[in-house]
Amino acid sequence: MIYRAALALIFSSASPALAEDLQLAFPLDCTLGQDCHIQQYMDRDPSGGAEDYRCSGLTYDGHKGTDFALPDRAAMAAGVTVRAAAAGVVKGLRDGMPDGAPLSEVQGRECGNGVVIDLGQGWETQYCHLKHGSLRVQEGQGVAVGDALGLVGQSGKAAFPHLHLSLRHHGQPVDPFAPEGHSCDVEPRKTLWQDTPPYRPGGLIALGFADRVPSYDEIKAGEANRDSLPKEAPALVIYGYSYGTQKDDVLRLSLARPKGTVIERDVVMEKPQAQAFRAIGKRAASAPWPAGRYTGRVTLLREGRVIDKKTGVLTLR
C-alpha cells in the first residue's frame, strides 16, 4: 500500500493549541541509556541552522520528529517492538521496503515502512523506518496505547536502525518535549509525554574489546566486541562507540588489569559527529598476555564535564 496525502510533512515553527489530555507513552520495547538512545530531537531553529529544544545540536536542519535509535543491526535483527504512543485509528501505512537500501532507491519514500495514526481533533502520529515485513496493523484499524505496530528497522532514508516518531496538529509538527516553546536556560514547563524521557546531549552507545581495530561496519553491525580473547592475542584494543559528539569533546579510554594499566588515552573529537567510534590498543610483547580479567572504561567529556561513561570486562584465557 502507499502513503496517502496525509503523510506529507509541513514544517512550521508555530505552536498549535494543545489538547490537555494528549499524552504520549514511550514507543519502544527498550530502556533508554541501556539498549536504545535518542539520537536526534526535533529541530527548533526556524532559520537555516539546527537546534534541539535544549538549544544544543542533537538534531539536524529541518528534522521534524524524534529519533529513537538501537545500538546496532544485531539488535534490529533480534527484534524491538514499536508500540502506539497514543490511541487512534490507522490512517495510512506502507510496508515492503527493504532495510538499508541505497538512498537513490528511496526518493519520495524517505519514511520507509511506517504508520500514520489519527488521534482525533487534528492530531496524528507518524512512525517511520519500520523493519521490512514487520507491520502488524491495517488501515482503518483502531489501536490502543501500547499496541504493537511493528519492529524497529532501517527502511527508507535511515543510516542506522531507528524509529522516527513525529507528532502533528493540523499538519504542523509539534515537539512533544517542548510544545509551548523552548528556552536554553530552563526545562520546558509542559511536555506531552506521560513520563518525559530525560534529555541527554550525546552519549556512548557501546564499549567493546577486540584483538585489532575493528571496522566501522563491524561495530554498526554489532559484530566487533569480544568478551574474551586468548592470552596469545596479537593486540588488545578497546573502543568507544558514541553519538551526538561535538568538536573538542574528549573520549577517555582505558584498559587495566589487576596489577596495572595496559593502556589509556584521551582522544579529542575533531568535529561534530552524529555517530563515531574511536579505539586505542597495544601490541603484544614476546610473551603472552597475563591471563585473567581486564577492565575497560570509556568516558565522554564535554568542557571537562562527564556526559556519559561505560565499563566492561574482558577475560583473557
Side-chain angles (χ1 to χ4, degrees):
M1 302 180 70
I2 61 173
Y3 278 98
R4 304 193 182 276
L7 296 175
L9 296 178
I10 304 171
F11 182 76
S12 171
S13 60
S15 295
L18 300 177
E20 291 299 325
D21 57 349
L22 177 61
Q23 293 279 285
L24 301 180
F26 191 71
L28 291 182
D29 280 356
C30 66
T31 302
L32 280 176
Q34 295 184 22
D35 50 5
C36 63
H37 64 278
I38 296 179
Q39 175 69 47
Q40 281 136 352
Y41 295 89
M42 181 172 159
D43 178 21
R44 302 304 300 267
D45 186 344
S47 70
E51 179 179 275
D52 63 37
Y53 80 99
R54 293 305 308 273
C55 302
S56 189
L58 204 59
T59 186
Y60 59 86
D61 186 29
H63 190 231
K64 303 173 180 69
T66 305
D67 288 347
F68 299 87
L70 302 186
D72 47 49
R73 295 196 299 272
M76 180 185 79
V80 177
T81 301
V82 176
R83 298 192 179 277
V89 177
V90 176
K91 186 176 183 178
L93 55 80
R94 177 170 54 222
D95 202 349
M97 292 183 66
D99 295 288
L103 295 182
S104 60
E105 297 180 7
V106 302
Q107 296 299 317
R109 301 180 297 163
E110 287 81 0
C111 177
N113 305 316
V115 182
V116 170
I117 297 177
D118 186 346
L119 312 182
Q121 298 183 341
W123 291 90
E124 62 185 21
T125 47
Q126 182 175 15
Y127 305 76
C128 293
H129 311 308
L130 272 63
K131 191 175 182 180
H132 175 236
S134 74
L135 267 67
R136 303 179 186 175
V137 293
Q138 298 178 346
E139 191 169 351
Q141 176 182 336
V143 295
V145 175
D147 280 357
L149 304 178
L151 300 175
V152 177
Q154 195 179 337
S155 60
K157 188 178 181 181
F160 49 87
H162 70 284
L163 166 70
H164 171 98
L165 174 65
S166 290
L167 175 67
R168 296 190 289 272
H169 189 245
H170 294 306
Q172 296 184 3
V174 177
D175 186 352
F177 287 91
E180 296 178 334
H182 70 297
S183 168
C184 299
D185 302 319
V186 297
E187 289 282 351
R189 184 181 66 85
K190 177 181 178 62
T191 81
L192 296 181
W193 293 101
Q194 291 178 5
D195 296 297
T196 305
Y199 177 80
R200 303 195 73 165
L204 296 169
I205 301 172
L207 169 158
F209 307 99
D211 59 4
R212 58 179 173 78
V213 176
S215 71
Y216 196 14
D217 190 67
E218 288 175 316
I219 290 174
K220 291 188 290 184
E223 299 172 349
N225 182 45
R226 299 291 181 267
D227 293 328
S228 66
L229 290 170
K231 60 183 182 179
E232 294 82 14
L236 296 183
V237 171
I238 179 173
Y239 64 84
Y241 183 22
S242 61
Y243 71 95
T245 52
Q246 299 181 4
K247 185 179 184 297
D248 296 328
D249 281 358
V250 173
L251 207 61
R252 179 167 294 162
L253 302 109
S254 69
L255 180 63
R257 57 178 180 258
K259 293 186 178 180
T261 299
V262 176
I263 187 171
E264 61 182 352
R265 188 177 304 159
D266 283 0
V267 181
V268 179
M269 308 301 283
E270 299 177 350
K271 61 182 180 180
Q273 290 185 275
Q275 293 186 352
F277 89 96
R278 297 293 186 271
I280 62 171
K282 186 174 183 179
R283 295 185 184 278
S286 56
W289 300 99
R293 289 164 57 90
Y294 289 60
T295 301
R297 292 184 174 84
V298 179
T299 305
L300 176 62
L301 300 106
R302 182 168 299 161
E303 297 179 345
R305 180 171 61 92
V306 174
I307 299 295
D308 200 0
K309 57 185 177 180
K310 287 187 179 294
T311 302
V313 174
L314 169 68
T315 301
L316 262 63
R317 59 188 189 279

